[in-house]
Amino acid sequence: MKKLISLLLAVLMVMTLCACGQETPTQTTPQQPTESGTRPTEAPEEIDPDADKTYDSSALFRYNRLAVQKDGKWGYINRTGTFVIPAAYDFAGPFGENGLARVLKDGKYGYINTQGDYVIPSQYEWVEDFAETDLAYVKLNGKYGLIDKTGAVIAEPQFEQIHPFGENGLARVEKDGKLGYINRQGEVVVEPRFEELSGFSGNGLAVVMLEDKYGIINDKDAFILAPQYDYIWNFQENGFAVMEQNGKYGCINPQGQLAVAPQFDAVWNFCESGFAIVEQNGKYGYINTRGDLVVAPQFDSAYDFSEYDLAPVKLNDKWGYINTQGAFVIAPQFESAEVFGENGLAPVKQNDKWGFINQEGQFVIPAQFNSIHPFAENGLAAVEQIGLWGFIDTQGKFVIEVLFDDAENFTESGLAKVALGDKWGLVNEKGDLVTEPQFDDIQAFGAYGLAKASKNGLWGLVNRQGTVVVEPQYEEISEFSENGMAAVLLNGQYGFLNETGTLIINHLYVSASQFFSDGLAVVKRNDKFGIVDRFGNYVIDLRYENVRY
C-alpha cells in the first residue's frame, strides 16, 4: 500500500510540474479575454508528416522551418517548436523555394540548406534572397555581383548596384556611376556608359541619356536613335514615346524613329482610340498613331475621343463634339461637356444645369441638375437637385428620390454611399436605406463581402446586406486572410475575429501578423513571440525574441 501511495504522489507531482511549465488555454467566451489569450473550442491541427518536403511562399513555415531568435541568436524551429537548426547565427532569413536561406555569422553572409549545412559559405558583406531565377545578389569588397544556388559566381562583384531582372531576362546595373544591362548568364549586353537608362519596353527599346542628350537603343546595345534630344519619355503601351527638343514636343514611333517633329507646346498620351491631344500656340488638336496631324490645333480646350469616335472640344467659350476628321457632329453650344460613356450618353452643362445627350446631340435627360456623376454599371447615376442627391436611370427617371446631402455612385456590391448631414450610410438599388447614415466613412467592400466603417475614429464592419456586423470599436482592422481571420486592435492590444465578426482570439497581443496559408499567425506579448492557430491555441508558446518570415 505504501508503494502505491508513493507512486500516486509521484505521478501527481509530475503532472503539477508539467502544468506549471506552460500557459494553459482556458475556455472563455469571445468577449472575455483570458491570460492565455486562447479559446480552444477546436483541437490544434495535426502536422503534415511530409511538411519538411513542402514549400509554400505564403505559408509561415516553409519546408517546416521558421527563423526565430533566442538568447540573441537566430536559428530555425519546426512546427512543434523544436530547434532543427541551432540558434547560432546573428541573422537568419526565411527559406526560399530552392531550399536555401541566408544567414549571418561572424560578420559574413552565406546560405544554408534545410538541414543547416552550408551550401555557400559565409563570405559576403551582404546577400539577398534567391529570386525565381535562382540567382542572388551578393556584395564583396563594396561591389555587387551575382551567384547561383550552388555558389558559382555568375557575375563578378563589380557593380555599385544591380536591379531586379525584367521579363526580358535583363537586369540594370551601375558601374563607375554609369548604367547598363546584364543578362542572367552574367554577360554585359549593354555596356554601362549611360547617365540615364530606362527599362526595355514591349517593343524591345530603351531610352538612354548620353552626354546630357537622349536617344534610343535596342537590347543588342545598338543605337536606334542617336542621342540628340533634350528629353524622351518612356514608351507608352501603344509603343509611342513623347520627346522634347528646344521646348517643343513631338513623338517617336514604336520602331524608334521620329514620327512627329518637335513642333508642339505639349503632347498628351495616346487614348485607346489611337489619338493624342497636341497643343500649339494655346490651341488644341489631335495626331494619330502614324504621326499624322489629323485635326489641326484650333480649339480652346479638348478631351480624348470616346469609343464612339467623338471628342468634346471647346471653341469660342462653348463646347461641342467632333469626329476623328475634326468635323463638328454636335455644334458648340454647351457650357461644359464630358466624354461619352459606354451607354452612349454624355454629361453636358447648359444654362448652368447638367443633363445627358445622345450621339446626335439630343437631350435624353434634360439639363436640370446642379451636379451629376457618370452612370454606374447598373445604369444609375447620382444627381444633385435643390441641394439634395438622388439617383436616376438612363431615361432620366428618378429611381431614388433626392433625399440625401451627398451621394456616391453604385459599386459592384449593388450599394451606394449616401449621406445625411456629415454621416454616411448605404442604399440599395431599390432605394432602401439598408444602413442608416451613422458613419464618418465607409470603405470599399473587400473579402467576404465586408466593408470597414468608421465612427469617432474607431472601425467596425458592415456586410453587403447593409447589416452592421461589428460595431465601430477598433483602432485598426486588418484585411481578412484566406482563412477568414482579421487582426483587430482594441486599446493597443491585438486579437482576431472571423468573417462573421465573432471575436475568436482575445485582445492580448502588442503585435500580430496576418494568418498565413498554413493557418498560423505570429503574435507578441510581454516582449516574446509565439504562434497561434486559427482557433487561438498556442501552437508554440511565447518564448522567442523575434521571428522572421
Side-chain angles (χ1 to χ4, degrees), residues 374-436:
F375 279 94
E377 289 185 3
N378 66 351
L380 300 181
V383 296
E384 185 253 313
Q385 196 176 51
I386 63 170
L388 296 174
W389 287 81
F391 295 84
I392 60 171
D393 61 20
T394 54
Q395 281 74 50
K397 178 184 176 182
F398 271 101
V399 177
I400 301 173
E401 295 295 328
V402 285
L403 299 169
F404 307 105
D405 295 308
D406 204 352
E408 296 184 6
N409 264 356
F410 279 89
T411 65
E412 294 178 357
S413 66
L415 302 175
K417 288 172 59 175
V418 293
L420 289 177
D422 61 351
K423 299 299 181 183
W424 290 90
L426 294 170
V427 66
N428 65 20
E429 295 173 359
K430 297 178 181 179
D432 300 325
L433 203 58
V434 295
T435 304
E436 290 292 332

Side-chain angles (χ1 to χ4, degrees), residues 188-417:
V188 174
V189 295
V190 175
E191 194 66 36
R193 65 187 190 281
F194 300 109
E195 293 105 70
E196 290 185 22
L197 177 60
S198 76
F200 280 93
S201 301
N203 59 1
L205 303 180
V207 177
V208 298
M209 183 176 79
L210 185 64
E211 297 179 355
D212 294 327
K213 291 296 181 181
Y214 288 81
I216 295 172
I217 63 169
N218 62 20
D219 54 11
K220 303 297 187 297
D221 202 12
F223 277 110
I224 302 300
L225 189 65
Q228 56 189 291
Y229 297 111
D230 297 334
Y231 197 78
I232 301 177
W233 279 261
N234 286 344
F235 285 92
Q236 302 168 28
E237 287 187 8
N238 66 353
F240 278 76
V242 176
M243 48 77 64
E244 178 187 0
Q245 182 78 318
N246 299 323
K248 297 296 181 180
Y249 297 84
C251 280
I252 293 165
N253 67 21
Q255 290 73 45
Q257 302 162 339
L258 184 64
V260 180
Q263 57 188 295
F264 300 109
D265 301 320
V267 177
W268 275 255
N269 285 343
F270 282 88
C271 61
E272 291 183 4
S273 59
F275 296 90
I277 300 170
V278 295
E279 180 186 359
Q280 192 174 51
N281 300 322
K283 299 295 182 179
Y284 296 85
Y286 297 86
I287 59 174
N288 63 19
T289 54
R290 293 189 300 272
D292 303 324
L293 185 62
V294 293
V295 180
Q298 56 189 290
F299 304 110
D300 302 322
S301 189
Y303 290 145
D304 285 331
F305 281 93
S306 69
E307 61 184 281
Y308 301 101
D309 288 335
L310 295 176
V313 295
K314 186 178 183 183
L315 186 64
N316 299 326
D317 209 33
K318 293 293 183 181
W319 286 83
Y321 291 82
I322 61 170
N323 60 22
T324 55
Q325 287 75 48
F328 272 106
V329 176
I330 302 172
Q333 56 190 290
F334 307 112
E335 294 149 27
S336 189
E338 303 290 339
V339 174
F340 276 90
E342 292 182 0
N343 60 3
L345 301 180
V348 295
K349 190 176 186 180
Q350 193 173 61
N351 299 324
D352 206 33
K353 299 291 183 181
W354 285 91
F356 291 87
I357 61 170
N358 61 21
Q359 297 165 59
E360 286 74 45
Q362 301 165 338
F363 271 102
V364 176
I365 301 172
Q368 56 186 302
F369 307 111
N370 298 325
S371 297
I372 57 176
H373 290 313
F375 279 94
E377 289 185 3
N378 66 351
L380 300 181
V383 296
E384 185 253 313
Q385 196 176 51
I386 63 170
L388 296 174
W389 287 81
F391 295 84
I392 60 171
D393 61 20
T394 54
Q395 281 74 50
K397 178 184 176 182
F398 271 101
V399 177
I400 301 173
E401 295 295 328
V402 285
L403 299 169
F404 307 105
D405 295 308
D406 204 352
E408 296 184 6
N409 264 356
F410 279 89
T411 65
E412 294 178 357
S413 66
L415 302 175
K417 288 172 59 175

